Amino acid sequence: MKPISSATVFQVADIEVAVTFYRDILGFSEDFRYDNYAGVFLGEFQLHLCAHKVWKRPIGGGAVVIIAEEVDDYCKTIRERGAPILLEPTDEPYGLRDFVTRDPDGNVLTFSAPLADTEEE
């Protein structure tokens, strides 16, 4: 077997509220919806949202890191749309510029961009 893709699944309380947040606030596009399960995407990043209770997972316990080309403009855009910013864009010692937000259920999304190499060659 050779995996070719993956999707993080966040447990949410209400599929309508979750899809609306990801679409209208974070700028994701809806890919599919089956009752209480939906898929959204932003660029190449796929995320599934699950509001059914079949697997009895806790709501809002998820976290994901999304690597992007830049984060500052995106952070500004989603803040203006009403997203809570838990960590402002920050240069981290591990070579990424991160900011953190969360969805209405408490699932945490870290958006990270590689820092430019500042060493002289």
Side-chain angles (χ1 to χ4, degrees), residues 76-94:
K76 180 181 178 201
T77 297
I78 68 169
R79 176 188 289 116
E80 290 170 355
R81 293 177 185 162
I85 305 303
L86 307 179
L87 173 71
E88 293 292 329
T90 304
D91 291 352
E92 300 292 355
Y94 42 80

Side-chain angles (χ1 to χ4, degrees), residues 45-65:
F45 174 69
Q46 299 176 30
L47 179 65
H48 292 189
L49 305 168
C50 177
H52 64 68
K53 308 280 190 246
V54 174
W55 307 116
K56 298 181 172 52
R57 291 189 306 255
I59 293 169
V64 67
V65 176

Side-chain angles (χ1 to χ4, degrees), residues 1-79:
M1 184 204 56
K2 179 180 177 183
I4 59 170
S5 184
S6 70
T8 299
V9 180
F10 280 172
Q11 194 71 29
V12 299
D14 183 304
I15 200 70
E16 284 299 324
V17 170
V19 169
T20 298
F21 176 81
Y22 281 91
R23 184 189 61 227
D24 297 350
I25 305 297
L26 298 186
F28 282 62
S29 297
E30 186 174 345
D31 187 28
F32 65 86
R33 191 180 314 196
Y34 302 106
D35 296 322
N36 285 319
Y37 197 91
V40 295
F41 65 93
L42 184 64
E44 297 296 316
F45 174 69
Q46 299 176 30
L47 179 65
H48 292 189
L49 305 168
C50 177
H52 64 68
K53 308 280 190 246
V54 174
W55 307 116
K56 298 181 172 52
R57 291 189 306 255
I59 293 169
V64 67
V65 176
I66 302 161
I67 308 298
E69 294 175 348
E70 72 82 31
V71 294
D72 292 271
D73 291 342
Y74 181 65
C75 181
K76 180 181 178 201
T77 297
I78 68 169
R79 176 188 289 116

